[in-house]
Amino acid sequence: MRWKEETIVFETFREADVWADALANEIYGRTINGYCTPDHKIACALTFYLAHVPEFRVQTAEIPFEDLTYYQVWVEIVEPQA
């Protein structure tokens, strides 16, 4: 797994959506497999984008750490069935 972790938190869902769109492109290009963030808005939007790809099985997790919750989103690639 190749993860990207960032601690940025956006104020609006629109900002998070634009950020998630760029992250989805990194995952589409397979430079990373997963993303970890304390911003639930980014995680939600990223999950939405990735779920549109039939070859991706999108996984998510919530990781409590001290007084924060981190959200992980990653994909497992499956071969399409004939």
Side-chain angles (χ1 to χ4, degrees):
M1 290 290 295
R2 290 177 310 273
W3 288 90
K4 185 172 198 172
E5 293 183 36
E6 295 175 312
T7 57
I8 191 165
V9 176
F10 291 105
E11 290 186 29
T12 68
F13 194 84
R14 177 66 183 140
E15 293 170 314
D17 183 59
V18 170
W19 191 264
D21 187 31
L23 288 168
N25 286 325
E26 290 187 52
I27 295 175
Y28 299 150
R30 300 185 183 172
T31 58
I32 61 172
N33 301 85
Y35 185 72
C36 182
T37 178
D39 190 341
H40 71 280
K41 298 178 298 299
I42 296 172
C44 182
L46 182 59
T47 301
F48 177 80
Y49 283 119
L50 297 175
H52 284 91
V53 180
E55 297 84 27
F56 288 172
R57 293 295 172 261
V58 182
Q59 306 290 325
T60 62
E62 291 183 21
I63 311 296
F65 182 73
E66 295 179 357
D67 61 340
L68 289 174
T69 299
Y70 287 87
Y71 302 91
Q72 293 180 328
V73 179
W74 71 96
V75 297
E76 297 174 358
I77 300 177
V78 296
E79 297 299 319
Q81 296 182 5

